[in-house]
């Protein structure tokens, strides 16, 4: 049993011995001796083996390249592109379906690049910071790509603006406007120097004004809009 696992390499005949044996066989069989030396025959046999092996390698490589041709035309597919959060910071969710690795995901709004974050493998989050038409491009390792567009229209980065102000009947009237998401009238407040806060005495959202009692000291007035942009006014008493 031990010998089964320790087989010795078979000894090969010496070229001279093999040649003499072949000559003896020719003599016994009364056949004309071979005119080509045995060394040449052996060298040619090895050459044929090496050449045949090289042909097989080339054939396998060609077959693999032929089978890989369809992969060169496989492109990515944008499976999901949807908005998941609203103003003031809208976020879009992107799912990519692709057999080949994804090399890049780019997004821009009217030519301006916007941030793209990879959350998981082939799952991305896009956070545009301007309104407009957002173009998303997904590219694979074989340079095949797919593009999709979606409209971004919920971004408001501008604070409300003061149109005018006036004092009458012991009140300070401030007229406001906001062309973005609109003023959050119920969230307007004023703050005194001691840190205490109070609401406007009255406001009219339709006519666009707020009214505070004429203060005895300087106050800060905070006017937020629905996108959480806040206008801060300093009302100084002279």
């Amino acid at each position: 049993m031990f010998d089964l696992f320790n087989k010795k390499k078979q000894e090969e005949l010496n070229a001279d011995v093999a040649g003499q044996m072949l000559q003896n066989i020719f003599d016994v069989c009364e056949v004309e001796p071979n005119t080509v030396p045995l060394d040449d025959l052996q060298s040619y046999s090895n050459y044929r083996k090496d050449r045949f092996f090289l042909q097989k390698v080339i054939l396998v490589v060609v077959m693999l390249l032929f089978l890989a041709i369809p992969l060169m035309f496989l492109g990515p597919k944008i499976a999901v592109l949807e908005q998941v959060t609203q103003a003031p910071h809208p976020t879009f969710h992107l799912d990519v379906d692709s057999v080949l690795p994804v090399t890049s995901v780019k997004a821009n709004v009217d030519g301006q690049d916007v941030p793209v974050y990879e959350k998981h493998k082939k799952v991305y989050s896009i956070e545009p910071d301007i309104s407009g038409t957002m173009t998303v491009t997904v590219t694979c390792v074989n340079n095949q790509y797919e593009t999709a567009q979606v409209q971004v229209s919920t971004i408001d980065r501008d604070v409300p603006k003061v149109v005018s102000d006036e004092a009458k009947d012991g009140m300070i009237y401030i007229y406001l406007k906001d062309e973005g998401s609109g003023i959050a009238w119920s969230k307007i407040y004023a703050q005194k120097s001691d840190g205490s806060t109070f609401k406007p005495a009255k406001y009219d959202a339709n006519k666009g004004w707020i009214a505070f009692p004429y203060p005895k000291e300087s106050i800060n007035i905070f006017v937020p809009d629905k996108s959480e942009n806040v206008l801060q006014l300093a009302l100084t008493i002279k």
Side-chain angles (χ1 to χ4, degrees), residues 60-94:
V60 170
V61 171
V62 171
M63 291 179 62
L64 291 176
L65 290 176
F66 180 78
L67 294 175
I69 287 177
L71 296 178
M72 303 302 295
F73 299 96
L74 287 178
K77 180 180 179 182
I78 297 177
V80 178
L81 178 58
E82 61 181 5
Q83 186 170 343
V84 293
T85 62
Q86 303 298 323
H89 306 294
T91 302
F92 288 80
H93 177 81
L94 171 66

Side-chain angles (χ1 to χ4, degrees), residues 14-62:
N14 184 277
D16 294 337
V17 176
Q20 184 61 47
M21 290 179 62
L22 180 62
Q23 184 64 37
N24 293 338
I25 293 172
F26 285 145
D27 293 341
V28 171
C29 296
E30 297 181 353
V31 177
E32 183 179 355
N34 188 17
T35 59
V36 180
L38 183 61
D39 291 341
D40 293 344
L41 291 175
Q42 189 174 12
S43 299
Y44 180 73
S45 176
N46 293 335
Y47 166 75
R48 289 296 300 271
K49 288 180 180 178
D50 293 341
R51 185 176 179 183
F52 181 66
F53 176 76
L54 180 61
Q55 290 174 344
K56 289 196 297 184
V57 171
I58 294 175
L59 181 61
V60 170
V61 171
V62 171

Side-chain angles (χ1 to χ4, degrees), residues 142-159:
N142 59 351
N143 287 328
Q144 298 294 316
Y145 64 91
E146 183 175 5
T147 299
Q149 290 186 330
V150 63
Q151 196 66 29
V152 181
S153 58
T154 58
I155 297 176
D156 178 13
R157 304 295 185 190
D158 298 325
V159 300

